[in-house]
Amino acid sequence: MEVLRPQLIRLGGRIYRKNPIQEQTYQHEEEDEDFYQGFVECAEEPCDAYEVVQTQQGFRCTVKAPSLLYKHIVGKRGDTRKKLEVETKTSISIPKPGQEGEIVITGQHRSGVISARTRIDVLLLTFRRKQPFTHFLAFFLNEVEIQERFLKFQEEVLEKCSMDHGVDSTIFQNPRKLHLTIGMLVLLSEQEIQQTCEMLQQCKEEFIDDISGGKPLEVEMAGIEYMNDDPGMVDVLYAKVHMKDGSNRLQELVDRVLERFQASGLIVKEWNSVKLHATVMNTLFRKDPNAEGRYNLYTADGKYIFKERESFDGRNILKLFENFYFGTLKLNSIHISQRFTVDSFGNYASCGQIDFS
């Protein structure tokens, strides 16, 4: 990160500069405990985004956060919390490891409490972004007709293109897991799962019912496309999904859901629009049939994973199956699916959903 061009973070309607975070390793200590070396430069004027309560002793503010992130506020040997307390002239109470609760900030001056709260928010956001995705919002595309047509696609591809470099049966999606992803989530507690369920229900009441008309959306899954720019070296091949009536309702619906979840902070903003697709071939499956595409980037302790993959030559597949028809289906539910788990039908386990009808 350049010193003169630091990363900008938006919190509570304000934009802050974030100084570098350095991870240092001390001898005989765990590597995955992080020490916070830099803090944001933040305004000292009052911020209406935070609820600060005046007490007989001064001022008080609370922060809700999953217990998994507490250690990043405490730091090695408590150094991060101490640094925060000294620089903001506050006292910070953090629940013990394994216990759920609120982080409590108290101080004699309101500006100091606000400063501490802002810095804690930056820490929480920084280390939350290092956590691997745990859940995702999705439509399931695994109706019987679609599965049968997918298996027909796989059979014909292997029959006609198995001599092409990298093409074999190991890189095809599990037909029971066919889905259309709206957005990826990091949910670190039962409270956050419940918050996601409530947010999805709000979307249904505020705009999904109007867009869907209270009925399932009838869509077609037809045609294939690839993710990268070289058809001779493909890693992900997907089927396109669109409304059968030719309207833009599905795209509008998923984009508005994405926008709402991005605004709430539950989904990190990477794109302004959802790419409507269903992965049918992925080279990550070659070594790990349970791999989940580009989202396998971090371990639970935030360390980056490099996944080596062997691309395949997709030119003949694209030529022969460009307009392959996988079938029609009715989308009636958005699911909160949990990664790396399956239900009794072999599909991703769902921990919440909304239905259109």
Side-chain angles (χ1 to χ4, degrees), residues 83-91 105-109 112-113 116:
K83 184 176 179 68
L84 275 168
E85 290 176 330
V86 169
E87 294 190 352
T88 61
K89 297 180 174 61
T90 60
S91 176
I105 308 165
T106 56
Q108 295 294 315
H109 304 285
V113 171

Side-chain angles (χ1 to χ4, degrees), residues 14-30:
R14 296 171 182 269
I15 298 177
Y16 300 94
R17 295 184 294 275
K18 186 170 79 69
N19 294 334
I21 292 175
Q22 299 177 358
E23 294 184 1
Q24 299 181 356
T25 303
Y26 292 84
Q27 190 175 6
H28 308 306
E29 292 190 10
E30 295 295 329

Side-chain angles (χ1 to χ4, degrees), residues 136-185:
F136 59 97
L137 297 177
F139 290 104
F140 292 160
L141 305 176
N142 57 352
E143 291 189 6
V144 174
E145 177 193 355
I146 301 296
Q147 290 195 52
E148 291 176 349
R149 291 292 297 166
F150 170 82
L151 290 173
K152 182 65 174 176
F153 168 77
Q154 177 176 335
E155 177 186 341
E156 292 186 7
V157 168
L158 292 176
E159 179 184 328
K160 299 176 181 179
C161 306
S162 61
M163 297 303 292
D164 295 342
H165 176 76
V167 176
D168 61 50
S169 62
T170 65
I171 62 176
F172 286 85
Q173 173 67 282
N174 181 337
R176 291 172 294 184
K177 289 186 174 183
L178 289 167
H179 64 279
L180 189 162
T181 299
I182 299 173
M184 302 301 297
L185 298 157

